[in-house]
Amino acid sequence: MLVHLARTIVSQRIALLQNRLPPLASYEPFRLCSTHSHLHSAPNRKSAVSSRQHSSLASTSPEHRSHKPIPNPGSPMSQSVWKEFIEPNKQYAANFGSKGELPLPPGRKLAIITCMDARINVYAELGIKEGDAHIIRNAGGSARDALRSVIISQRLLGTREIAIFHHTGCGMLTFTTDQLRKIVKDSDPTNPALKVVDEIDFLDFPEIEQSLKEDVKFLKENPLVLPGTEITGWVYEVETGQIKHIA
């Protein structure tokens, strides 16, 4: 009697479990989420785990990685300096005065070509103010690189004098165009798109005063620069803040 009762209870529980679980045919096999669509796992735990491991490896394989520049050791790619812009700008705007009424053309008809070096404050260095001159900045203060801006400055906005400034301690003295091209391409050798850097002339120079004289000569002889334009060349000393007239 007791044995029969026990068998009845077990049978009922098995039937209950079978009713709760869907039939085996209703299970879809686990499919690997990757570009390799031909890889599927069998409907069991072991193969599913193996497939997930394969998916993880596939996602970090070279053909799946994005090409990102490698920052210099110890230098974060970005320090989010822009977050500091708002408050100083509020103070600047509060004392903006009548600067909003300045005309578009530079008041002193002057265009200054100088380097992008962060140590150079052109306004303080030369005693000029907003509205006085166009400040054209690029790596090295190159006249060739600045020509587009010079044409706009002269033909559309009336400048008639150009002052070119190079400076001591310039970064342009520390490399050649071939070296920089190699640095760019070596940063990610698997990225063929970087080869476009071979089309860029970085306009490096080995000596400050000679390069300055060449820039002055370039503008004086350039037919796109207005005849009669006064063009001078200067060296700014980052060590002392002094300027020297060279050409």
Side-chain angles (χ1 to χ4, degrees), residues 144 147 213-227 229 231:
R144 289 171 173 79
L147 182 60
K213 293 175 182 177
E214 290 173 359
D215 271 2
V216 170
K217 183 174 184 290
F218 169 78
L219 289 185
K220 284 184 174 181
E221 296 179 352
N222 197 298
L224 297 177
V225 176
L226 286 174
T229 300
I231 302 171

Side-chain angles (χ1 to χ4, degrees), residues 87-202:
E87 290 305 317
N89 177 256
K90 288 179 181 178
Q91 298 176 22
Y92 176 74
N95 298 289
F96 199 62
S98 61
K99 292 177 184 177
E101 301 172 4
L102 289 171
L104 178 59
R108 303 186 70 176
K109 302 184 182 301
L110 170 66
I112 297 172
I113 301 172
T114 191
C115 186
M116 66 183 187
D117 192 294
R119 297 168 291 181
I120 298 174
N121 182 340
V122 180
Y123 293 100
E125 167 193 335
L126 301 178
I128 59 176
K129 298 174 292 185
E130 294 101 316
D132 282 348
H134 282 155
I135 313 298
I136 304 169
R137 303 187 72 154
N138 59 52
S142 167
R144 289 171 173 79
D145 199 359
L147 182 60
R148 180 185 69 91
S149 297
V150 167
I151 295 171
I152 294 171
S153 176
Q154 289 205 313
R155 304 285 176 161
L156 301 180
L157 295 166
T159 57
R160 294 296 182 267
E161 182 178 351
I162 302 172
I164 308 172
F165 281 81
H166 288 194
H167 68 93
T168 58
C170 186
M172 299 299 290
L173 302 170
T174 65
F175 69 94
T176 66
T177 287
D178 286 341
Q179 289 172 339
L180 185 49
R181 287 171 177 169
K182 185 176 186 302
I183 288 171
V184 172
K185 290 182 289 187
D186 286 353
S187 68
D188 190 352
T190 65
N191 186 356
L194 296 184
K195 292 182 180 179
V196 72
V197 74
D198 289 332
E199 301 175 13
I200 299 177
D201 183 353
F202 288 98

